[in-house]
Amino acid sequence: MLIRDAVATDIETITEIFNSVIDSSNSVYREERVPVSERQAWFDDKKLHGYPVIVVEIDGAVVGYGGFGTFRAAQGYRLTVEHTIHIAKSHRRKGLGRILLKRLIELAEEGGYHLMIGAIDSENTGSIKLHHEFGFRECARITDAAKKHGEFLTLVLMEKIIN
């Protein structure tokens, strides 16, 4: 297993993973799959602003990714980041999210960020538990924050003081 910085050639696989998450869960509050160009723009924006995108690779294949970036645009939020982690369906529940989250926290510490935010669907109890294990605490619960496939979803925000 290898954790490394994502590169442009990973974008197609990152898009496949993202779309599988859209299709199979409420971890992403979107209903329609995205084209590679949308994930490329996301990747380019992260790189332009100095934010990390990392991947986990097993036997030469990317099976998960994570990153963090701007929480809100106003300058006062510059030391707060929001992270994302997604794992290929075939590799979920194998500890890869834990490995990526640990590395993202390290990168946030190295980058001098103060606060990390995770936005998690309330039904994703595994992710909520994982975040608790890393010292995140629930700081907000937004009822009916989004609607996907005709169902209202509750968003849980979790926070961790980094520095």
Side-chain angles (χ1 to χ4, degrees):
M1 178 177 20
L2 173 66
I3 305 295
R4 62 170 173 79
D5 290 337
V7 295
T9 55
D10 296 322
I11 301 306
E12 189 170 327
T13 302
I14 285 171
T15 305
E16 289 171 14
I17 292 169
F18 189 71
N19 283 330
S20 77
V21 171
I22 290 171
D23 292 343
S24 66
S25 76
N26 287 333
S27 293
V28 174
Y29 288 178
R30 297 179 79 149
E31 294 181 356
E32 296 178 5
R33 297 168 66 86
V34 301
V36 171
S37 61
E38 189 273 347
R39 287 284 91 185
Q40 182 69 56
W42 168 84
F43 177 78
D44 292 345
D45 184 66
K46 296 287 185 235
K47 292 302 176 188
L48 176 68
H49 292 96
Y51 293 121
V53 177
I54 58 174
V55 296
V56 59
E57 190 178 294
I58 296 177
D59 297 328
V62 171
V63 296
Y65 72 94
F68 61 74
T70 304
F71 171 64
R72 295 190 69 180
Q75 185 182 16
Y77 295 104
R78 69 188 171 280
L79 297 178
T80 300
V81 292
E82 181 179 350
H83 72 279
T84 188
I85 296 171
H86 296 300
I87 307 297
K89 193 171 184 180
S90 60
H91 285 78
R92 292 182 194 152
R93 301 204 188 325
K94 296 183 179 182
L96 300 179
R98 174 179 305 281
I99 291 165
L100 287 171
L101 182 55
K102 180 179 185 292
R103 183 64 185 137
L104 290 175
I105 292 168
E106 291 169 353
L107 290 169
E109 288 171 342
E110 292 167 12
Y113 293 100
H114 177 67
L115 181 70
M116 181 175 271
I117 302 286
I120 306 165
D121 182 71
S122 65
E123 298 296 315
N124 192 345
T125 56
S127 183
I128 291 169
K129 180 181 177 200
L130 173 65
H131 282 76
H132 276 298
E133 290 172 9
F134 275 90
F136 285 77
R137 70 170 193 88
E138 184 176 322
C139 58
R141 190 170 281 257
I142 307 169
T143 304
D144 295 350
K147 191 173 186 180
K148 184 173 178 178
H149 302 302
E151 231 182 283
F152 281 102
L153 305 172
T154 297
L155 181 67
V156 175
L157 296 179
M158 299 190 75
E159 66 181 4
K160 177 180 177 67
I161 302 290
I162 302 293
N163 287 311

